Amino acid sequence: RKFLSEVLLEGNSKLASGWSPWAIEECSSCKTFDLAVEEYKKVVGKMKNQKSRASYLSKLKVLQQYNSTLPRPVVQGSQFTLTFCAGFLRWLDEEKGYAPCSRKNFQGWLGTFSKHLVASGFIKESPTNMLVRPRINPSESNVSDIPGNMLEFLSAYLGSEDRHFLLLCMMIYYGMFRPNELRGMKVGDIDLQGKVAYISCQNSKNKKNAYVQ
């Protein structure tokens, strides 16, 4: 009886910590979710783009906050399921009041985090593949066009006060360049006669060389 009591006590302790007898068949390592988070932080920490690092870590912190609100928080990496992901996105809508665009960004990030779990052996396949991508109504977007009269005012003011900054603004507005791409651009990357600008893979978001007309 003493041995049986010890077995039951040990089993209940493992179940309370998130262990599942079925998880052994699904993943050989049964790594913890906390370990998955720490490994992901190391991967993000190696990113060169500071803005991306801050964004990814911020979203990860929100995910951890959601997990802490659950009656039974995710403990094992294998518990990162479609139900958990859908619940997280619903929590962003109903409890946190995030805008549709922000929720869409979170869902995109959730896909990258899920790919990390697959690559690291925490789960076999990404549950986010089964999530439906939301369609954003233009009226629900926080992005709006700059009024024409404001563009005229800025153009006149910067034209007399700071022509270099005006050039940067026009390249971003009309050329759709990202600020980070402009910061890394050299004089030789701009062909005035051909009306083409070269973006190095070291500065582009998709890490590929590109020419922009």
Side-chain angles (χ1 to χ4, degrees):
R1 290 182 178 180
K2 181 180 179 181
F3 175 74
L4 180 59
S5 298
E6 292 178 353
V7 172
L8 291 175
L9 182 62
E10 180 67 18
N12 288 331
S13 177
K14 287 186 175 182
L15 289 172
S17 65
W19 174 82
S20 170
W22 292 278
I24 297 178
E25 297 181 0
E26 296 178 358
C27 71
S28 58
S29 58
C30 295
K31 302 175 183 177
T32 65
F33 185 69
D34 287 341
L35 178 60
V37 169
E38 292 304 317
E39 290 188 1
Y40 180 72
K41 287 181 179 179
K42 293 179 181 178
V43 173
V44 174
K46 296 179 181 179
M47 292 182 175
K48 295 182 179 180
N49 191 311
Q50 184 179 359
K51 186 176 180 180
S52 296
R53 289 201 310 268
S55 176
Y56 284 16
L57 292 177
S58 175
K59 289 179 173 60
L60 177 63
K61 187 175 181 180
V62 176
L63 180 66
Q64 290 178 287
Q65 181 184 356
Y66 163 71
N67 190 39
S68 66
T69 64
L70 298 177
R72 294 183 179 178
V74 165
V75 178
Q76 299 290 340
S78 58
Q79 293 176 293
F80 186 84
T81 62
L82 176 62
T83 301
F84 176 80
C85 295
F88 171 60
L89 296 175
R90 185 168 56 252
W91 176 76
L92 293 176
D93 282 335
E94 300 174 357
E95 300 296 331
K96 303 296 288 183
Y98 277 86
C101 287
S102 297
R103 181 191 178 281
K104 183 179 180 181
N105 291 336
F106 265 97
Q107 184 168 332
W109 168 82
L110 204 59
T112 64
F113 180 66
S114 184
K115 290 179 180 178
H116 161 74
L117 296 182
V118 173
S120 302
F122 289 90
I123 54 180
K124 284 188 174 182
E125 55 184 1
S126 173
T128 58
N129 293 335
M130 294 177 280
L131 292 172
V132 179
R133 295 288 293 179
R135 293 184 177 181
I136 305 300
N137 190 320
S139 61
E140 297 177 336
S141 175
N142 294 326
V143 180
S144 59
D145 294 335
I146 301 177
N149 59 342
M150 179 57 69
L151 287 176
E152 293 177 1
F153 170 78
L154 290 174
S155 179
Y157 175 80
L158 294 176
S160 61
E161 299 294 332
D162 194 339
R163 296 182 62 84
H164 295 92
F165 186 67
L166 174 61
L167 175 61
L168 293 176
C169 291
M170 294 181 69
M171 292 183 70
I172 292 176
Y173 188 80
Y174 294 106
M176 305 298 291
F177 290 97
R178 296 183 177 88
N180 186 58
E181 294 171 344
L182 289 179
R183 281 195 296 267
M185 190 174 292
K186 301 177 182 178
V187 176
D189 294 335
I190 301 177
D191 182 0
L192 295 178
Q193 292 183 348
K195 299 181 180 180
V196 175
Y198 171 74
I199 301 177
S200 170
C201 61
Q202 297 178 349
N203 303 315
S204 64
K205 186 175 181 179
N206 59 4
K207 303 303 177 184
K208 295 181 180 179
N209 297 325
Y211 288 91
V212 180
Q213 292 184 337

